């Protein structure tokens, strides 16, 4: 086993010593059959933003919009390419392209390799870098730099700009399939676009008012209105407006984190950036070292619970509210891209 002690409140080992799926294990065949019963009219809703939004890098300076380019053959771009240039008898005209893409730029899933933590998994009194279920940097989560526990670091022997999650990569979600019952909580309907950090009390109040219930294996989906603002900005995001509008979860609220554990949800997605409020509110005095992304820490690191961000939920929410429903059938597999730490996704809700 890769660890001698596990974080308090985690489920490391509960699904097996080598588990890489975490809470997605809760979506059983029975859960998928039950989720299919939510399909009544057969109407479908695309829950993805255009993947070139939000535009620029106002939300995250490290992530940039996709860049589309033609593919080439002998330095000849294959867009509107007459195949007769290769074969005089050919009638075909070919267009073929490629993309440079930040995998977590727009509508996305985080893989379980996205966020780890410093934790004493070895039980020797020294915290080391570790990911869900004890998987380790450099051994399984590989990058171009081998950051030592001290301040120094060394280049990886690959000698180039390389990264690869040999465990916990996004392809594990794709192979398993992310499909089941989605449950929508419409925070925007109750709080509008007010800048509000939502804790346990707010969430329970909204769920009670709308008679929303979640069961083990459900995928919880939160609408805040944030993605709608992004779409309205048309690729020219107003960073100040985005960072000072709409709801986000309070990752420092221990009751909220405990509810996520107890509710048995298999995944959590929202239409905002990061799902939780970032920066998080300050920790209690004297608490010592804490995660800066406490909800990511709780979900990805402790529970193996995937997080989805920047989903587009307006049209689905309107339909469900008109029909006095909160549940729907959700299909949301990421790209089957081995080693990736996140992925674009085009979720489809079927009602």
């Amino acid at each position: 086993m890769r660890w001698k002690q596990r974080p308090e409140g985690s489920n490391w080992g509960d699904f097996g010593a080598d588990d890489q799926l975490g809470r997605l294990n809760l979506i059983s065949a029975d859960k998928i059959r039950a989720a299919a019963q939510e399909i009544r009219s057969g109407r479908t809703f695309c829950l993805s933003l255009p993947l070139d939004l939000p535009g620029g890098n106002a939300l995250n300076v490290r992530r940039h919009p996709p860049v589309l380019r033609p593919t080439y053959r002998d330095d000849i771009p294959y867009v509107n390419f007459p195949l007769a240039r290769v074969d005089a008898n050919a009638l075909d005209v070919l267009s073929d392209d490629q993309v440079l893409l930040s995998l977590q730029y727009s509508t996305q899933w985080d893989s379980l390799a996205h966020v780890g933590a410093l934790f004493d998994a070895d039980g020797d009194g020294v915290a080391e870098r570790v990911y869900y279920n004890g998987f380790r940097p450099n051994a399984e989560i590989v990058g171009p730099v081998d950051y030592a526990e001290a301040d120094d670091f060394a280049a990886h022997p690959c000698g180039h700009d390389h990264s690869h999650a040999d465990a916990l990569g996004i392809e594990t979600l794709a192979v398993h399939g992310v499909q089941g019952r989605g449950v929508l909580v419409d925070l925007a309907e109750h709080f509008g676009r007010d800048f509000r950090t939502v804790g346990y009390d707010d969430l329970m109040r909204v769920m009670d008012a709308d008679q929303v219930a979640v069961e083990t294996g459900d995928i919880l989906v939160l609408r805040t209105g944030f993605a709608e603002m992004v779409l309205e900005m048309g690729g020219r995001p107003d960073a100040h407006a985005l960072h000072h509008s709409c709801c986000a979860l309070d990752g420092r609220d221990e009751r909220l984190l405990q509810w996520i554990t107890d509710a048995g949800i298999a995944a959590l997605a929202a239409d905002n950036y990061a799902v939780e409020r970032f920066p998080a509110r300050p920790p209690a005095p004297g608490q010592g070292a804490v995660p800066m992304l406490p909800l990511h820490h709780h979900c990805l690191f402790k529970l193996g619970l995937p997080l989805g961000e920047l989903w587009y939920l307006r049209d689905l929410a309107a339909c469900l509210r008109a029909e006095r429903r909160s549940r729907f059938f959700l299909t949301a597999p990421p790209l089957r891209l081995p080693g990736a730490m996140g992925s674009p996704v085009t979720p489809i809700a079927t009602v």
Side-chain angles (χ1 to χ4, degrees):
M1 185 173 285
R2 284 172 299 278
W3 49 272
K4 292 183 178 179
Q5 60 184 13
R6 67 182 188 175
E8 182 179 356
S10 78
N11 58 12
W12 291 17
D14 288 359
F15 301 110
D18 297 319
D19 175 62
Q20 299 183 43
L21 285 173
R23 292 277 283 258
L24 285 183
N25 284 288
L26 299 176
I27 306 180
S28 64
D30 287 343
K31 293 293 183 182
I32 294 174
R33 283 194 293 270
Q37 301 306 307
E38 302 296 337
I39 301 175
R40 301 176 187 176
S41 67
R43 293 179 63 192
T44 59
F45 295 89
C46 174
L47 307 185
S48 175
L49 288 168
L51 292 183
D52 59 355
L53 293 182
N57 59 352
L59 289 184
N60 188 319
V61 296
R62 294 177 289 107
R63 299 173 183 169
H64 300 274
V67 178
L68 286 168
R69 296 190 178 101
T71 58
Y72 287 81
R73 175 179 176 179
D74 298 328
D75 294 326
I76 298 173
Y78 262 56
V79 173
N80 304 319
F81 179 77
L83 201 57
R85 292 177 64 98
V86 177
D87 185 334
N89 292 319
L91 298 176
D92 316 70
V93 176
L94 304 181
S95 290
D96 191 24
D97 55 1
Q98 57 188 314
V99 63
L100 176 65
L101 179 67
S102 293
L103 295 174
Q104 292 165 278
Y105 179 74
S106 186
T107 305
Q108 64 182 265
W109 278 120
D110 292 341
S111 86
L112 303 187
H114 178 50
V115 171
L118 290 169
F119 173 72
D120 179 18
D122 296 336
D124 59 2
V126 178
E128 57 273 344
R129 291 163 297 148
V130 64
Y131 292 84
Y132 170 76
N133 217 10
F135 289 100
R136 303 298 177 105
N138 306 319
E140 288 99 8
I141 317 299
V142 178
V145 173
D146 182 4
Y147 294 100
E149 305 307 331
D151 292 335
D152 59 336
F153 57 87
H156 188 271
C158 69
H160 57 82
D161 192 13
H162 169 81
S163 65
H164 198 276
D166 296 328
L168 305 179
I170 202 70
E171 75 277 10
T172 59
L173 278 66
V175 171
H176 178 269
V178 183
Q179 190 172 51
R181 180 165 57 204
V183 179
L184 181 73
V185 176
D186 195 345
L187 298 173
E189 181 68 20
H190 291 263
F191 302 125
R193 293 182 178 178
D194 291 346
F195 184 80
R196 189 182 188 97
T197 302
V198 171
Y200 173 83
D201 289 335
D202 276 345
L203 182 63
M204 293 302 105
R205 190 178 303 118
V206 170
M207 292 179 66
D208 289 345
D210 291 347
Q211 297 182 319
V212 177
V214 297
E215 299 177 23
T216 298
D218 286 346
I219 299 172
L220 184 65
V221 180
L222 306 177
R223 175 179 174 247
T224 72
F226 187 94
E228 295 153 38
M229 288 185 65
V230 167
L231 192 61
E232 291 163 8
M233 290 175 180
R236 297 181 178 178
D238 181 330
H240 184 271
L242 290 175
H243 286 301
H244 294 83
S245 301
C246 300
C247 294
L249 293 184
D250 182 0
R252 297 264 187 245
D253 186 337
E254 292 295 335
R255 287 193 301 161
L256 175 63
L257 300 183
Q258 188 61 50
W259 180 85
I260 290 172
T261 297
D262 296 341
I265 58 173
L268 171 58
D271 66 349
N272 61 3
Y273 175 71
V275 184
E276 64 181 306
R277 178 68 65 210
F278 181 78
R281 62 184 172 89
Q287 195 169 346
V290 295
M292 295 296 101
L293 291 162
L295 187 134
H296 279 64
H297 179 85
H298 185 76
C299 293
L300 295 174
F301 174 65
K302 286 188 173 183
L303 300 182
L305 189 153
L307 295 176
E309 301 176 21
L310 290 170
W311 291 28
Y312 179 74
L313 303 169
R314 185 191 65 183
D315 299 336
L316 171 65
C319 172
L320 293 176
R321 183 161 293 278
E323 297 183 5
R324 297 184 178 182
R325 303 169 57 187
S326 60
R327 297 179 170 189
F328 57 96
F329 187 75
L330 176 64
T331 302
L335 296 177
R336 188 176 180 178
L337 180 57
M341 300 165 193
S343 171
V345 60
T346 303
I348 300 295
T350 307
V351 300

